[in-house]
Amino acid sequence: MKKIFTLGEIVVEIMANQKGQLFTQDGIWKGPFASGAPAIFIDQVAKLGEQAAMISCVGNDGFGELNIKKLQSDGVDISNISIINDQTTGSAFVTYHEDGSRDFIFNIKNSACACINEEMVSQNILQDCDHLHIMGSSLFSKTIFNTAKKAIDIVKQNNGTISFDPNIRKEILHSPGVKDALLFILKQTDIFLPSESEVTLLTNTDNEKQAIDYYLNNGISSIVVKKGNKGASYYSRKEFFDISPHLVKEIDPTGAGDCFGGAYIALIHRGLTPRTALTYANACGAIAVTQQGPMQGTSTLEQIEKFMQQEKN
Ligand code: ATP
Ligand code: MG
């Protein structure tokens, strides 16, 4: 069976206990939770029963162990996750505002994640890979960008496909080189998975339709736009459709997009139609926001089907 790979950051997430809680004040913090956008994505792929592997680094510490155990128990191949003795596992602190927006403090660039390098990627490591997923949040250094480039080259040479979720946090967008890196990956992309606010971000237009046309005319075969509590939209040269959202009580939105993306790519990989894959992904994203902790929101096929069935009744 062919494998879906991703590469990028593994972190723990530590979240504010209350909405409106500030980074500058005393407060109660919850966690650590297993996290990192590509890690959540690949955990969701494995939970749906597709072969899944991740290339990453963690420190030789409890935060790394927590993540590795979670990924491994959910079925992710962790043999390409290195444990770096003199580095600590990455972390992200998150606080939520009353209007639903979030602020993050990331410790990624100076963590074990920064040790991800080109030597961790080879024809041999990627021999079973027929799909590679890249998160924009992972392109935080030249070295990791070069690693992603090398992996893309190998997967494309082997006739594999690439999916890309820009997953741009305002905290990293203006870091040197990040925008150029995102544009480069976009050119290699087959399946593009932006949030609604990211649809036009990497084009010269503010018009969503023009941006979609541009992508479809420049090598991208399908685009899935994630719209939070408004559901999602699908675009290809052949068809366009919207998927209505499920009505759920939002507990923790972080990670919903990654669960959604993991479910969509896993089910497309399995050979389902875009409409069916998207129906499951939409439910998977909705379930994710009802769970506290980003990677706690990943679901099995049975859980997604049970949720969809309950909605029908
Ligand atoms: P993030 O900001 O974490 O990167 P994202 O923009 O990548 O998130 P979202 O659009 O928030 O992703 O969520 C992905 C999908 O999950 C949505 O397209 C939708 O299908 C589902 N979803 C997310 N939030 C909700 C919600 N509150 N109610 C119902 N479904 C939701
Ligand atoms: Mg996202």
Side-chain angles (χ1 to χ4, degrees):
M1 194 171 163
K2 291 288 189 179
K3 252 186 198 171
I4 298 174
F5 268 71
T6 193
L7 62 84
E9 69 278 17
I10 289 178
V11 304
V12 285
E13 187 146 323
I14 296 170
M15 53 183 73
N17 191 41
Q18 278 185 336
K19 265 194 184 160
Q21 193 172 320
L22 300 177
F23 285 136
T24 49
Q25 290 174 334
D26 263 4
I28 296 173
W29 295 84
K30 285 180 296 188
F33 294 102
S35 193
I40 300 166
F41 169 93
I42 206 70
D43 192 78
Q44 181 56 71
V45 169
K47 271 206 166 176
L48 290 181
E50 293 303 283
Q51 292 285 318
M54 179 159 190
I55 296 166
S56 188
C57 295
V58 294
N60 191 2
D61 53 33
F63 290 167
E65 192 182 329
L66 166 88
N67 269 289
I68 287 185
K69 278 194 175 149
K70 166 84 176 138
L71 291 168
Q72 190 169 30
S73 70
D74 287 341
V76 176
D77 170 358
I78 53 142
S79 58
N80 295 295
I81 300 176
S82 301
I83 298 173
I84 312 289
N85 274 326
D86 56 357
Q87 295 286 342
T88 53
T89 301
S91 59
F93 287 74
V94 58
T95 182
Y96 298 89
H97 303 295
E98 293 297 341
D99 65 1
S101 63
R102 287 168 286 178
D103 280 323
F104 289 89
I105 294 180
F106 292 115
N107 173 31
I108 296 182
K109 275 188 193 168
N110 297 314
S111 76
C113 302
C115 298
I116 299 169
N117 68 77
E118 285 174 72
E119 281 172 26
M120 298 179 72
V121 161
S122 67
Q123 185 63 255
N124 189 33
I125 287 167
L126 292 169
Q127 61 183 342
D128 296 328
C129 173
D130 66 344
H131 185 87
L132 174 69
H133 180 77
I134 302 287
M135 290 282 184
S137 55
S138 306
L139 307 173
F140 54 82
S141 76
K142 186 86 187 141
T143 313
I144 195 163
F145 173 54
N146 287 337
T147 310
K149 257 164 89 171
K150 185 175 173 189
I152 290 172
D153 278 349
I154 294 171
V155 172
K156 289 234 148 184
Q157 267 166 28
N158 295 345
N159 294 319
T161 48
I162 309 295
S163 53
F164 175 43
D165 178 347
N167 205 32
I168 299 166
R169 302 284 177 238
K170 62 181 188 305
E171 285 83 353
I172 68 157
L173 180 60
H174 301 296
S175 303
V178 165
K179 193 146 188 195
D180 287 344
L182 295 167
L183 287 168
F184 179 89
I185 306 289
L186 190 67
K187 284 206 187 105
Q188 317 294 317
T189 297
D190 299 289
I191 304 176
F192 186 41
L193 298 156
S195 304
E196 203 173 14
S197 60
E198 295 164 344
V199 174
T200 59
L201 209 61
L202 299 173
T203 63
N204 294 325
T205 173
D206 290 336
N207 181 295
E208 200 168 297
K209 169 138 193 354
Q210 279 174 6
I212 298 285
D213 286 345
Y214 170 79
Y215 297 135
L216 293 175
N217 289 329
N218 284 278
I220 292 178
S221 56
S222 55
I223 301 128
V224 176
V225 181
K226 293 169 287 170
K227 296 181 168 173
N229 63 6
K230 292 186 285 161
S233 300
Y234 174 86
Y235 304 85
S236 73
R237 282 181 173 274
K238 276 201 293 198
E239 56 180 340
F240 151 70
F241 54 83
D242 293 321
I243 296 274
S244 309
H246 293 277
L247 200 61
V248 288
K249 186 169 183 305
E250 192 175 290
I251 305 285
D252 176 14
T254 306
D258 313 326
C259 294
F260 174 99
Y264 181 73
I265 295 299
L267 296 175
I268 288 289
H269 192 251
R270 189 174 297 177
L272 302 191
T273 62
R275 193 181 283 274
T276 310
L278 209 53
T279 303
Y280 278 88
N282 186 45
C284 189
I287 297 170
V289 302
T290 66
Q291 308 294 316
Q292 180 123 67
M295 212 188 287
Q296 303 309 112
T298 55
S299 306
T300 62
L301 202 60
E302 292 69 30
Q303 286 167 328
I304 299 175
E305 285 176 344
K306 193 168 162 207
F307 172 82
M308 294 198 297
Q309 196 56 41
Q310 279 166 352
E311 290 272 296
K312 270 194 205 153
N313 295 336

CSV table of all heavy atoms in Angstrom, one decimal, residues 165 167 169 195 226 257-258, ligand 2:
chain,number,residue,atom,x,y,z
A,165,ASP,N,-1.4,23.2,2.4
A,165,ASP,CA,-2.3,24.1,3.2
A,165,ASP,C,-1.4,25.2,3.7
A,165,ASP,O,-0.5,25.0,4.4
A,165,ASP,CB,-2.8,23.2,4.4
A,165,ASP,CG,-3.6,24.0,5.4
A,165,ASP,OD1,-3.7,25.3,5.3
A,165,ASP,OD2,-4.3,23.4,6.2
A,167,ASN,N,-1.8,27.6,5.8
A,167,ASN,CA,-1.8,27.6,7.3
A,167,ASN,C,-0.9,28.7,7.8
A,167,ASN,O,-0.1,28.5,8.7
A,167,ASN,CB,-1.4,26.2,7.8
A,167,ASN,CG,-1.9,25.9,9.2
A,167,ASN,OD1,-3.0,26.4,9.5
A,167,ASN,ND2,-1.1,25.2,10.0
A,169,ARG,N,0.1,31.8,9.9
A,169,ARG,CA,-0.2,32.5,11.1
A,169,ARG,C,0.4,33.9,10.9
A,169,ARG,O,1.6,34.0,10.4
A,169,ARG,CB,0.4,31.9,12.3
A,169,ARG,CG,-0.1,30.4,12.5
A,169,ARG,CD,-1.5,30.4,13.1
A,169,ARG,NE,-2.1,29.1,13.2
A,169,ARG,CZ,-3.2,28.7,12.6
A,169,ARG,NH1,-3.9,29.5,11.8
A,169,ARG,NH2,-3.6,27.5,12.8
A,195,SER,N,-7.5,28.3,3.9
A,195,SER,CA,-8.7,28.9,4.6
A,195,SER,C,-9.3,30.0,3.7
A,195,SER,O,-8.6,30.5,2.8
A,195,SER,CB,-8.2,29.5,5.9
A,195,SER,OG,-7.5,28.6,6.7
A,226,LYS,N,-11.5,26.1,3.1
A,226,LYS,CA,-12.0,25.8,4.5
A,226,LYS,C,-12.7,27.1,5.0
A,226,LYS,O,-12.0,28.1,5.0
A,226,LYS,CB,-10.9,25.4,5.4
A,226,LYS,CG,-10.3,24.0,5.0
A,226,LYS,CD,-9.0,23.7,5.7
A,226,LYS,CE,-7.9,24.6,5.2
A,226,LYS,NZ,-6.7,24.6,6.0
A,257,GLY,N,-8.7,22.7,11.0
A,257,GLY,CA,-8.3,22.7,9.6
A,257,GLY,C,-7.4,21.5,9.2
A,257,GLY,O,-7.4,21.0,8.1
A,258,ASP,N,-6.6,21.1,10.2
A,258,ASP,CA,-5.6,20.1,10.0
A,258,ASP,C,-6.3,18.7,10.0
A,258,ASP,O,-6.0,17.8,9.2
A,258,ASP,CB,-4.5,20.1,11.1
A,258,ASP,CG,-4.0,21.5,11.3
A,258,ASP,OD1,-3.9,22.2,10.3
A,258,ASP,OD2,-3.7,21.9,12.4
B,2,MG,MG,-5.3,25.8,9.1
